[in-house]
Amino acid sequence: PKLKQLFPILLINSGKEKNGIPSRELSEVLWKAQSAKNAKNLRGVTIRNLRLLLASMDKIDIIYQSDTWSLKFSESIYCDYLDCLRMLEENNPGSDFFIRFYNIIKEGEVFRGESFHWLDDTKGFIGNHIVDILINYLESHPGSDSPDKIIKISELIMSYDPANETA
C-alpha cells in the first residue's frame, strides 16, 4: 500500500511549480505512526522498490536533492496528469484546446478510486477547474455539438460534481 501511495505523492509534488516533497513531510504523510528512525528505513525501502519498478520503464527517475524527493520524466514519457495541469494553467478556450483537454479527462476523475487525506486538496483543485472548463465550453457552444457529446460532457461534469445543476 505504501508503494501505491508513494508514486502519486511524488508525482503531485513534482508537478506544476513544485520542486518535490521534503523527506520529513513525506515521512509524516506516509509513516506518521513510526519513529523517525523507522520512518527513514521504511521510506528508503519503499523508494528503492519504486525505483526498481520504474527502472523497467523508459525513463522516470526518483530524484533526491537537498533533502527533497521528486520525479523526473524523460522527454519520451507522457504523463496525462502533468499535461492536464499544464492545460488547466493555459485554459485557452479555443476548440483545439478543448479537444486536447477532453481527450485527457474523458476517462473520468483524476486519481479515481484513491482516497488518501493528502490527496483531497489536489483532487478538489483539479476537479473544480475541470468542471469550470467543461461548463464554460457548454455555455459558449450552445447547440453546436451533438446531443451525445453534450451528454458525455455532462456525465463527466457529474463525475466531479454530482450535484451540478448545469450538468
Side-chain angles (χ1 to χ4, degrees):
K2 296 301 180 195
L3 186 61
K4 185 178 178 183
Q5 292 178 48
L6 181 61
F7 183 79
I9 201 167
L10 290 176
L11 177 63
I12 289 167
N13 286 283
S14 299
K16 209 173 172 189
E17 298 169 359
K18 298 182 178 180
N19 297 321
I21 183 168
S23 294
R24 183 171 166 232
E25 186 179 335
L26 182 59
S27 293
E28 287 172 5
V29 171
L30 296 181
W31 297 281
K32 63 183 169 199
Q34 302 292 325
S35 68
K37 183 179 178 181
N38 284 348
K40 182 178 179 179
N41 289 337
L42 291 168
R43 185 180 66 233
V45 169
T46 307
I47 287 173
R48 180 182 179 283
N49 289 337
L50 183 58
R51 278 187 169 137
L52 290 172
L53 183 66
L54 294 176
S56 66
M57 297 184 72
D58 188 21
K59 197 67 174 145
I60 302 175
D61 293 320
I62 298 175
I63 306 298
Y64 179 74
Q65 186 174 21
S66 302
D67 199 40
T68 301
W69 298 93
S70 62
L71 293 176
K72 183 179 179 188
F73 293 81
S74 72
E75 293 294 321
S76 62
I77 296 288
Y78 173 75
C79 178
D80 57 355
Y81 171 75
L82 296 176
D83 202 20
C84 182
L85 286 181
R86 278 190 291 276
M87 293 189 81
L88 290 175
E89 198 171 278
E90 179 184 328
N91 193 5
N92 180 353
S95 63
D96 182 47
F97 167 86
F98 186 78
I99 291 167
R100 287 182 15 241
F101 181 72
Y102 182 78
N103 284 331
I104 292 172
I105 63 163
K106 70 182 177 186
E107 298 302 320
E109 182 185 7
V110 176
F111 300 112
R112 178 181 33 216
E114 302 300 333
S115 58
F116 308 114
H117 71 280
W118 50 265
L119 195 53
D120 292 342
D121 288 343
T122 300
K123 287 176 75 169
F125 172 81
I126 292 172
N128 289 339
H129 280 77
I130 287 172
V131 167
D132 290 345
I133 289 172
L134 293 173
I135 287 174
N136 287 339
Y137 177 82
L138 287 176
E139 290 174 347
S140 65
H141 294 83
S144 64
D145 288 312
S146 71
D148 286 344
K149 185 174 182 182
I150 293 170
I151 289 170
K152 286 179 182 178
I153 292 171
S154 296
E155 288 173 345
L156 193 52
I157 292 170
M158 292 189 67
S159 74
Y160 287 97
D161 183 3
N164 188 283
E165 290 183 28
T166 302

